[in-house]
Amino acid sequence: MSATAPPEAVAPVIPAVMDLLRRRRHGLALGALVVLATAAYSLLGLVKFATFRATTFDLVIFDQAVRGYAGFGAPTEPSVGMQYGMGMDFIQLADHFSPIVALLAPLYWLGGGPQSLIVAQAVLFALAAIPIWHYAERRLGAVPAHLVAVAYAVSWPIAQAAGFDFHEAAFVPLLSAIMIERFDARRPLLGVLAAAGLLLVKEDMGLLLAGFGMYLVVTRRRLEGVAFILFSLGALVMIRSVLMPLAGASTTGFHWAYGNWGATLGEVAVAILRDPLGALAQSVSPMVKVNTLAFLLWPMALTALLSPLTLAAVPLVAERFLADRPQWWEAGHHYNAFIVAILVCAGVDGAARLAKRFPERGVATHWAVAVCLIGLTLVPRFELGKLLDPGYYDGEPHIAAAREAVTMVPDGVIVEAANNVGPALTARTTVLLWGPQGYDAPWVVADVARWSYPFGDFGAQQRRVDEALANGYRKVFDRDGYIVLNRPS
């Protein structure tokens, strides 16, 4: 008997081996992108932390909540509770319904702190490139999918979120991309689990799921779509009207911003149904809202407009644009990270539809190259561009004084700290936000040389220090505007 297999037995193995090698090559490329993106996002956030650009609102807020979970206790936020007049035992779930952050508690068992939250956020943002790649590979092919993954990784919504402390938004790109990709693959079980996870991210995630339900209905998956809509809206009402009030919030929460439409969710819904044109007009005025929409759609070369998947992003955009909070309308901060994965996948879907219409023109590859280049050209304009500036790593001259000031505060105490100082103290003290209202904490770290949130005017900061000195505090440090005060016991 010959030990050599006949050619007809070997032939079927060759394509399988080649496919395995091809898959491994693409997997290595995608893995390298995830690692590089994680490193870039981490560096951006950690440099801000080290140079006193991170803030008490919001990095300290989440550090306190996760620290509570890590100690198998309530996720209390003394910094927020005192700011709201609710006391030191204020529970994070009353502020924003984000129980998913409890998943980060093991980082604190290993000795982590606010820096570990920054790195965890970077990892979560970067991992979303994997389901996005699989979605794009199925629609456009492997090489265009890599370009789309790069476009996502350098996208400005992710850059802005990675450069602004830590937020619950870190979980949304990954979970929403998994949901979209798994439903597209007609294997919805993991997609449903991802959708359930989204409801644990923030109290308004039911709007995202309702939008995804509308997409399913439009794409003739009516039963699934209606189920998504009904369940997500029911969950939205349950979370806002029952669970958050149980934790200590009012029925509208602490961030109600729709007084021009109504005092409750129901009143707002009725008012919009009565005046849809007025709602539409408010959604595009003032012009900053139009600018934000343009920035959201342009990175995918506008092809998201060709996809019904864009419907999934509409409710969250409407929620922001109908509010009376200007900071919700802008391209800054972290708000657009909630919808970036949706819009990237919608852009892929739109490009795939174009490619089907013009099959012989290389639409998919050309489009993928274009969106990758667009993303790269936008990098200098947003937070990731700071990594290219050598001066970003040095910080301001006053940073040395800030570092010395925090060393004057002993471990285990309660301290009112300026917004940019709190993150450096939260791992070893209980930080409250230093502001116009004093909390009689035994230690205060003030900044009278630069404006500090939440003061309304710069002069009020010096007046607060003067009042504290008049009320028995003593000055133990004063350099470059940083003043450390202590009230003798």
Side-chain angles (χ1 to χ4, degrees):
M1 176 182 288
S2 173
T4 304
E8 59 270 18
V10 175
V13 176
I14 296 176
V17 171
M18 295 301 294
D19 183 66
L20 176 63
L21 293 175
R22 181 180 62 84
R23 287 277 172 184
R24 179 168 293 181
R25 184 174 70 251
H26 290 310
L28 289 173
L30 183 58
L33 175 64
V34 170
V35 170
L36 288 173
T38 298
Y41 307 151
S42 297
L43 183 62
L44 182 66
L46 292 175
V47 169
K48 291 194 75 170
F49 180 88
T51 54
F52 287 78
R53 294 169 181 149
T55 60
T56 297
F57 276 30
D58 294 320
L59 184 55
V60 169
I61 291 174
F62 285 99
D63 173 75
Q64 291 176 339
V66 176
R67 200 173 294 278
Y69 283 122
F72 300 99
T76 55
E77 294 177 338
S79 56
V80 178
M82 297 302 288
Q83 184 79 356
Y84 289 165
M86 301 294 289
M88 297 283 286
D89 294 328
F90 179 78
I91 295 177
Q92 189 268 335
L93 300 175
D95 184 30
H96 286 302
F97 189 78
S98 306
I100 198 168
V101 300
L103 294 177
L104 302 178
L107 299 176
Y108 283 63
W109 302 341
L110 300 174
Q115 300 99 314
S116 61
L117 295 184
I118 292 170
V119 175
Q121 176 173 257
V123 172
L124 289 167
F125 280 150
L127 285 175
I130 296 174
I132 287 173
W133 183 89
H134 283 285
Y135 180 86
E137 191 266 345
R138 187 180 304 117
R139 296 302 189 88
L140 305 176
V143 173
H146 285 298
L147 296 172
V148 170
V150 171
Y152 161 79
V154 300
S155 64
W156 66 264
I158 295 298
Q160 297 306 99
F164 185 56
D165 298 342
F166 171 89
H167 292 89
E168 68 283 321
F171 293 90
V172 178
L174 177 59
L175 290 174
S176 58
I178 290 173
M179 178 180 69
I180 292 167
E181 192 277 329
R182 287 292 82 193
F183 270 86
D184 183 69
R186 303 288 176 168
R187 295 182 178 179
L189 178 58
L190 185 57
V192 170
L193 293 176
L198 284 168
L199 292 174
L200 304 179
V201 172
K202 198 176 178 186
E203 63 275 9
D204 59 357
M205 286 296 98
L207 295 176
L208 186 155
L209 298 186
F212 187 69
M214 290 189 291
Y215 158 72
L216 293 175
V217 170
V218 169
T219 53
R220 299 182 180 180
R221 286 171 282 184
R222 295 182 180 86
L223 183 60
E224 296 167 299
V226 170
F228 252 81
I229 293 170
L230 294 178
F231 179 77
S232 61
L233 293 180
L236 177 70
V237 173
M238 174 65 72
I239 290 169
R240 294 194 65 108
S241 301
V242 178
L243 298 182
M244 292 183 70
L246 284 175
S250 66
T251 54
T252 55
F254 291 96
H255 304 282
W256 188 253
Y258 306 93
N260 55 331
W261 289 99
T264 66
L265 282 174
E267 290 180 10
V268 171
V270 171
I272 291 174
L273 289 174
R274 287 176 176 173
D275 187 16
L277 292 180
L280 181 61
Q282 185 177 332
S283 297
V284 293
S285 178
M287 186 56 68
V288 63
K289 298 176 183 177
V290 177
N291 293 339
T292 299
L293 285 174
F295 269 118
L296 285 169
L297 295 171
W298 170 238
M300 290 294 107
L302 306 181
T303 56
L305 294 174
L306 303 177
S307 171
L309 183 56
T310 301
L311 287 170
V314 169
L316 285 183
V317 173
E319 177 195 31
R320 289 167 51 201
F321 285 8
L322 293 176
D324 56 17
R325 303 280 176 85
Q327 66 267 31
W328 292 2
W329 310 336
E330 301 168 356
H333 303 305
H334 60 288
Y335 304 113
N336 297 289
F338 286 99
I339 58 174
V340 63
I342 296 171
L343 293 179
V344 169
C345 291
V348 169
D349 182 43
R353 292 168 185 267
L354 277 179
K356 287 182 180 179
R357 187 170 182 179
F358 305 102
E360 298 180 357
R361 300 188 181 181
V363 170
T365 301
H366 293 153
W367 174 85
V369 170
V371 298
C372 185
L373 291 175
I374 291 171
L376 291 172
T377 59
L378 289 176
V379 165
R381 181 163 185 163
F382 294 96
E383 288 290 302
L384 279 178
K386 292 180 178 178
L387 296 178
L388 306 176
D389 177 13
Y392 177 68
Y393 304 90
D394 298 330
E396 300 295 330
H398 63 83
I399 297 306
R403 292 194 179 112
E404 187 175 355
V406 299
T407 65
M408 306 301 295
V409 181
D411 294 352
V413 301
I414 299 174
V415 54
E416 295 176 48
N419 194 35
N420 69 311
V421 175
L425 287 164
T426 186
R428 59 185 183 87
T429 68
T430 299
V431 173
L432 308 179
L433 180 63
W434 178 64
Q437 175 64 45
Y439 305 124
D440 204 30
W443 289 86
V444 175
V445 181
D447 183 356
V448 297
R450 291 150 291 273
W451 176 79
S452 182
Y453 173 84
F455 286 93
D457 66 275
F458 180 70
Q461 296 171 214
Q462 182 64 58
R463 290 194 295 272
R464 270 282 284 120
V465 171
D466 294 340
E467 291 169 3
L469 292 172
N471 290 325
Y473 282 82
R474 62 185 179 88
K475 187 183 297 185
V476 298
F477 179 84
D478 186 350
R479 178 182 164 194
D480 287 349
Y482 289 102
I483 298 176
V484 180
L485 306 173
N486 174 236
R487 189 191 69 238
S489 56

